[in-house]
Amino acid sequence: MIRPDLASLPAYVPGVRDERAIKLSSNECAEAPLPSVIDAMREALSGVNRYPDMGAVQLRAALAEHLGVAPEQIAVGTGSSALCQQLVTATAGPGDEVAFPWRSFEAYPIFAQVAGATPVPVPLTADQRVDLSALAAAVTERTKLVFVCNPNNPTATTVTDAEFAAFMESVPEDVLVALDEAYFEYNRAADSPIATEVIARYPNVVVLRTFSKAYGLAGARVGYAFGPQAVIEALNKVAVPFSVSSLAQVAACASLAAQDELRERIDVTVAERARVVAKLGLAESQANFVWLPGAGPELAERLAAEGVLVRAFPEGIRVTVTNADETDALLEAWDRAQ
């Protein structure tokens, strides 16, 4: 009854949970949503007997004003991960290819295989950056979609505007490029592509962002895509109906209205990130996590024994950065785990 090829499909691995430990394994915000956001969600609770607005009209209007684009250029989904899967579904099928950097967001190859397409992972550079030249060279006549994660998860590195421009010059116009900016709000790189300019410059680019990270709404599940209207229409065609709950839509709208308060929280994380990078002697990060290349699972286990959960990959360890209290706990656990 089940497609036989799914037997080889790797499972998505979420961050480890342990209520007794500090969870720095899933790149979540440590704080609850802002009080104004919680109030808006509480007020909306009485209406959950009704289906949510399937078109997310109010949220798309708020996002359009926030981004300076038309509402028709915006799609909303249950987190940017759902929109990633919708992009694959809308563009690729059996015999097609989906290219992406590796290591990067671990769901990319899963989404490609679910659609019956062929995943094409392209190794990072020696300094853990997305290799845009190699990614462009990996494009063939079968390629339908290319993901570029910026900042990259889990290595926290970014690409420059010139690198992205050169990449786009090499990519055929009939290949869709998804610029995945799940960690956009934490990016302080002096030179990085500006998404609203990119979509105006290239008709085959769509940008993905989320409310799960900086906005602290991971449990609400709401993200968005913006780009060419034809791509947005295709995304909506393959979406699960009524997938973004009314509470998630209300929370996202309230969060967009609280930019100054959210910026204060984000600035705290950026400052703590610098502290962690300096203490551990790591490469610069542009996300709400740091990357320890080459670190093995043994270190993750020792940190877990000290009450701090981190995420181990075959290539290294990713550690979420949040606030001062959790940074203190991390650095103390780090010293004990050595």
Side-chain angles (χ1 to χ4, degrees), residues 137-225:
V139 173
T140 72
E141 68 278 359
R142 297 170 58 193
T143 306
K144 300 298 181 182
L145 176 65
V146 181
F147 284 104
V148 177
C149 193
N150 188 58
N152 187 50
N153 173 20
T155 61
T157 54
T158 57
V159 301
T160 68
D161 189 54
E163 288 170 340
F164 190 76
F167 166 74
M168 290 304 302
E169 289 300 316
S170 300
V171 175
E173 290 186 359
D174 61 350
V175 174
L176 183 62
V177 174
L179 184 59
D180 187 348
E181 295 190 329
Y183 301 93
F184 163 79
E185 291 83 4
Y186 300 102
N187 186 358
R188 297 292 185 272
D191 183 4
S192 196
I194 299 173
T196 49
E197 295 179 3
V198 165
I199 63 168
R201 196 184 312 158
Y202 306 108
N204 57 328
V205 174
V206 62
V207 182
L208 304 164
R209 291 183 186 169
T210 184
F211 287 92
S212 295
K213 309 302 181 184
Y215 288 90
L217 296 177
R221 308 308 302 130
V222 54
Y224 58 101

Side-chain angles (χ1 to χ4, degrees), residues 48-127:
V48 295
N49 57 306
R50 303 294 185 185
Y51 284 109
D53 174 13
M54 189 167 142
V57 173
Q58 288 186 323
L59 177 53
R60 286 171 49 240
L63 284 166
E65 182 177 357
H66 177 67
L67 297 167
V69 301
E72 293 77 20
Q73 291 181 273
I74 298 170
V76 175
T78 49
S80 58
S81 54
L83 291 161
C84 285
Q85 184 165 22
Q86 288 167 233
L87 277 175
V88 176
T89 302
T91 59
D96 297 327
E97 295 176 346
V98 176
F100 47 87
W102 197 251
R103 178 166 291 270
S104 191
F105 181 39
E106 64 187 286
Y108 295 153
I110 296 174
F111 293 154
Q113 191 170 338
V114 167
T118 301
V120 180
V122 176
L124 302 177
T125 63
D127 55 353

